[in-house]
Amino acid sequence: MAETPAPPADPLAHYPGWARELARRYFTKTINQFVVHGNVRDLVPSQDGRGERAYLPLRQFLADDLFAGRDVVVFYDRSDGIHFQDAESRRDFSRALSGYDTIFGTEYAKKLPKDPARVFALLDNYFRLRLADGKRIACVVDYAETIIPMSEAASYSTEDRGALVTLQKWANDPLLLRADFTLVLVAENLGDLSRPFIQSPYNAELEVGLPALDQRQAFVSWFLSADGARARYDTLSDVPDLALAQNTAGLGYVQLRSILADVLENGRRLTFETLSEKKKELIEAEAYGLLEFVETDYTLDMVAGHAEAKDHLRAAAEAIKTGRPDVMPMGYLVSGPVGTGKTFLVTTFAGEIGIPMVKLKNFRSQWQGVTEGNLEKILTLLRAMNPVAVMIDEADAALGDRSSQGDSGVSSRVFGQIAQAMSDTRYRGRIIWFLVTARPDLMPVDLKRQGRAEEHIGLFYPSTREDREELLQVMMRKTGVDLPLDDVPEALLDGERTYSGADMEALLTRAKFRAATHALDAPRPAPGGDGAAGGGAVAEGGAVTADVLQAVVDDFVPPSYPLQVELQNLAAVLECTSLSMLPERFRALDREATTRRVAELKGLIGDR
């Protein structure tokens, strides 16, 4: 029996996934416009003429590889204007331009325009002439966000409207669809482009992702294959190839090249510590400074009280370390009144897990479309960096909701982006969200539901003597106060007033201040006197004593917001998803009565 012939080799197999998808969609002859977005300023893996691995800038990859069979490849951006891949196409365009000038009375042959309105008019005329002659054409519009920017329809300029209409006409034109014509728009963030254009069914969006582990490893091996590179790298680096690839998640080929070139060209030794610092620096820069790595030497052992919450987070850390992301919640909601150490608890978790933790900084902007673009960039980096933990402090204010008014819909779009990212189960246990807030009741239900912030942890002020002693000892270590517990005022440990960790830290810092200023006021020995005795008196006077601390406690009047604190307490109680994490005094609360009291408190303080 004759053997079944092997299927022919795929000529596109060496292309990245987005390029193969572009080719597949193009051959359907139903779409001729593509938006390439994401990691578009990086190198693109390809092959050279001899079939060997190569890495090219996107523009070169499109011209020399993906569109190598086209008769005309034209590039346009606002800065450089119109450019052609080869001199013959440029001369042909000049001849067509002379005819255009004759017909329309223009003088573009002397000086080409750069604004979209006139450029698109010239290109439209040229494309139709050459397509009628059977030419095959590809057009690449770079920095497309400057051509069709994201804006509300009422804010479009005449130029923006003209460019948008031209592109939409090209997407539906029977001649362009029937002919061998492709238009590629390039932009880093999809959210920076006109929404009517993006939502059109007549174009396709293709995301260029950051390289995965195997792709980074292949690049490192390729880069070090140059003459002498391998031997020099092995001499100057403590980081093996595989470890370098494993520890650079979230970086692109250009950034990897920068790290390798620093070793090979500048002779700088690469250690795991320097690699970690470079990675953080490069990613923070890539995120426009909107991501900040959370670095800490603290662990959960440094957290006073909150025993149940610590036990849960230790178990979560162990699950991550042992490769069980499938048992992890998608995210956490950490709530409780001010001063209970919510942010500190999440920060110490970063010291337990052994994976990076980043904090979202203020990614909002006053400019139309920038907020969504910033967030899109951040989410792309997070997906590439996984596994990673993400902390959003003051989450009730940062994330918006579906019904936000008065900001042209920015808050609702931000909410939608975050909600979609948090519910992507492909990243369960790989992107761990921590939403931190003192007012969980202000957060939209869609973010708090199961499938997003699944585990709700409530933190509360210490209520037992043991908890207060533990918290005070932690705060004394933090502030450098050395005082036996027997010398601590009883009001701090067993009084009616409740002190938060922030209150205790403020008290101890004030006690240090009082001791130091009293030491400065102490009389100094006369010149020639017993300097040793005088110095001893000053040192002793600078220490916090039982009397100093007692005086400070007697004098201390903490800021008093009893209604707000009660509201924050009860909101955290209602949100907590584990009865065992609630203090005893809250476990028996009637939920209906508590809900009514929360509504009453909101009315009393004029809150919503």
Side-chain angles (χ1 to χ4, degrees):
M1 189 170 92
E3 292 185 5
T4 303
D10 183 1
L12 305 179
H14 65 284
Y15 284 172
W18 65 267
R20 293 197 302 271
E21 179 64 12
L22 187 154
R24 186 189 70 80
R25 299 288 295 272
Y26 171 74
F27 286 130
T28 65
K29 291 296 182 183
T30 58
I31 288 180
N32 63 15
Q33 289 190 7
F34 301 89
V35 181
V36 177
H37 64 99
N39 188 35
V40 296
R41 306 303 167 201
D42 202 4
L43 302 175
V44 180
S46 184
Q47 292 181 354
D48 61 19
R50 296 171 296 176
E52 296 180 359
R53 183 179 295 274
Y55 291 86
L56 310 173
L58 178 61
R59 175 168 173 159
Q60 185 180 349
F61 171 78
L62 293 173
D64 296 347
D65 206 323
L66 194 61
F67 297 137
R70 303 299 175 95
D71 300 305
V72 178
V73 180
V74 57
F75 293 89
Y76 167 64
D77 66 68
R78 274 184 176 270
S79 175
D80 293 335
I82 302 172
H83 281 271
F84 288 84
Q85 178 61 15
D86 61 276
E88 178 54 37
S89 296
R90 180 69 180 84
R91 288 192 291 269
D92 181 60
F93 180 71
S94 295
R95 290 191 293 270
L97 199 58
S98 297
Y100 186 96
D101 284 343
T102 301
I103 295 172
F104 295 100
T106 55
E107 296 183 347
Y108 293 147
K110 295 181 180 178
K111 182 177 176 64
L112 278 175
K114 294 184 178 181
D115 60 284
R118 291 184 294 174
V119 165
F120 282 169
L122 292 178
L123 290 179
D124 183 74
N125 178 74
Y126 178 68
F127 292 160
R128 295 180 186 281
L129 287 173
R130 293 302 172 255
L131 290 173
D133 295 338
K135 297 290 187 181
R136 297 166 297 171
I137 299 175
C139 177
V140 180
V141 178
D142 205 352
Y143 300 96
E145 67 275 11
T146 66
I147 309 298
I148 47 170
M150 201 287 283
S151 180
E152 296 301 314
S155 303
Y156 286 163
S157 67
T158 302
E159 186 178 81
D160 292 342
R161 293 176 189 274
L164 179 59
V165 170
T166 298
L167 293 176
Q168 289 175 327
K169 284 170 58 181
W170 284 356
N172 293 281
D173 192 291
L175 170 64
L176 301 185
L177 285 170
R178 189 170 57 249
D180 199 345
F181 173 79
T182 307
L183 174 69
V184 175
L185 293 96
V186 179
E188 286 193 59
N189 298 318
L190 202 60
D192 292 341
L193 301 179
S194 165
R195 281 197 301 279
F197 182 82
I198 295 303
Q199 293 167 354
S200 168
Y202 301 107
N203 56 56
E205 294 82 42
L206 304 169
E207 182 176 6
V208 182
L210 286 159
L213 171 59
D214 59 329
Q215 296 168 322
R216 296 194 300 274
Q217 191 173 1
F219 177 82
V220 172
S221 298
W222 171 82
F223 194 90
L224 295 179
S225 65
D227 291 343
R230 164 64 61 187
R232 183 165 174 78
Y233 179 81
D234 289 344
T235 301
L236 291 169
S237 176
D238 299 335
V239 184
D241 291 13
L242 178 58
L244 177 60
Q246 289 173 331
N247 287 276
T248 48
L251 299 185
Y253 297 119
V254 169
Q255 295 160 320
L256 269 174
R257 183 178 63 184
S258 172
I259 292 172
L260 290 166
D262 195 35
V263 176
L264 300 179
E265 302 298 330
N266 298 328
R268 296 186 185 228
R269 185 157 206 86
L270 184 65
T271 65
F272 283 96
E273 290 75 18
T274 58
L275 175 60
S276 177
E277 289 303 316
K278 287 181 180 180
K279 175 185 174 180
K280 291 172 183 176
E281 178 184 333
L282 290 169
I283 288 180
E284 287 179 355
E286 186 69 15
Y288 313 130
L290 303 174
L291 275 184
E292 177 185 351
F293 279 84
V294 177
E295 299 181 74
T296 180
D297 295 326
Y298 298 138
T299 66
L300 287 166
D301 293 334
M302 296 293 296
V303 177
H306 313 312
E308 293 79 8
K310 289 189 294 185
D311 288 344
H312 173 86
L313 292 177
R314 285 195 181 101
E318 188 63 25
I320 294 170
K321 292 175 184 177
T322 54
R324 291 299 309 274
D326 58 301
V327 304
M328 289 292 295
M330 295 293 291
Y332 289 87
L333 175 66
V334 183
S335 60
V338 293
T340 50
K342 298 181 293 294
T343 302
F344 183 69
L345 176 74
V346 177
T347 302
T348 60
F349 181 70
E352 294 273 342
I353 55 180
I355 65 174
M357 173 175 276
V358 295
K359 182 177 181 179
L360 260 64
K361 299 169 78 172
N362 184 14
F363 52 82
R364 292 178 178 267
S365 171
Q366 61 178 321
W367 305 112
Q368 185 79 24
V370 175
T371 296
E372 296 94 318
N374 287 343
L375 187 53
E376 182 183 339
K377 182 74 170 180
I378 290 168
L379 295 176
T380 299
L381 279 169
L382 293 177
R383 287 191 290 269
M385 287 171 62
N386 80 90
V388 63
V390 186
M391 176 168 57
I392 305 179
D393 215 347
E394 306 297 340
D396 56 296
L399 299 183
D401 58 52
R402 290 193 188 278
S403 59
S404 294
Q405 303 290 330
D407 60 359
S408 301
V410 172
S411 290
S412 62
R413 290 192 293 272
V414 165
F415 168 83
Q417 286 176 279
I418 289 285
Q420 183 178 9
M422 288 183 65
S423 60
D424 191 339
T425 54
R426 294 175 301 168
Y427 297 98
R428 178 180 290 276
R430 302 187 183 281
I431 300 179
I432 309 166
W433 298 86
F434 285 89
L435 310 183
V436 182
T437 175
R439 290 294 305 275
D441 53 304
L442 298 182
M443 293 188 60
V445 174
D446 282 9
L447 288 184
K448 300 185 291 185
R449 69 166 174 82
Q450 297 302 295
R452 290 183 178 137
E454 295 177 333
E455 194 75 43
H456 298 187
I457 296 175
L459 304 184
F460 304 92
Y461 296 140
S463 56
T464 66
R465 185 181 183 90
E466 292 75 16
D467 288 343
R468 292 185 180 189
E469 286 182 357
E470 183 184 4
L471 181 58
L472 183 63
Q473 287 174 323
V474 168
M475 289 305 165
M476 285 196 293
R477 287 198 298 271
K478 184 177 181 181
T479 56
V481 172
D482 185 12
L483 199 64
L485 283 179
D486 291 342
D487 291 343
V488 172
E490 189 67 14
L492 271 179
L493 302 177
D494 205 20
E496 293 182 0
R497 176 183 293 168
T498 297
Y499 290 93
S500 69
D503 290 336
M504 288 186 178
E505 184 176 358
L507 271 169
L508 294 170
T509 302
R510 185 178 293 190
K512 288 175 62 178
F513 177 82
R514 178 183 288 250
T517 53
H518 285 190
L520 291 174
D521 292 339
R524 299 281 177 174
D530 188 353
V538 172
E540 182 180 352
V544 175
T545 64
D547 291 340
V548 169
L549 185 56
Q550 181 67 62
V552 168
V553 169
D554 292 341
D555 182 63
F556 184 63
V557 181
S560 180
Y561 315 106
L563 295 181
Q564 286 87 344
V565 169
E566 183 184 358
L567 174 59
Q568 292 167 3
N569 264 319
L570 296 181
V573 169
L574 291 175
E575 288 294 345
C576 189
T577 55
S578 178
L579 195 62
S580 64
M581 291 193 193
L582 288 176
E584 288 288 346
R585 67 185 188 277
F586 291 133
R587 293 182 187 179
L589 286 181
D590 180 84
R591 294 189 70 84
E592 290 187 9
T594 303
T595 302
R596 288 195 298 270
R597 177 57 179 166
V598 166
E600 181 183 349
L601 288 168
K602 288 183 178 182
L604 290 172
I605 64 177
D607 205 349
R608 59 187 174 93

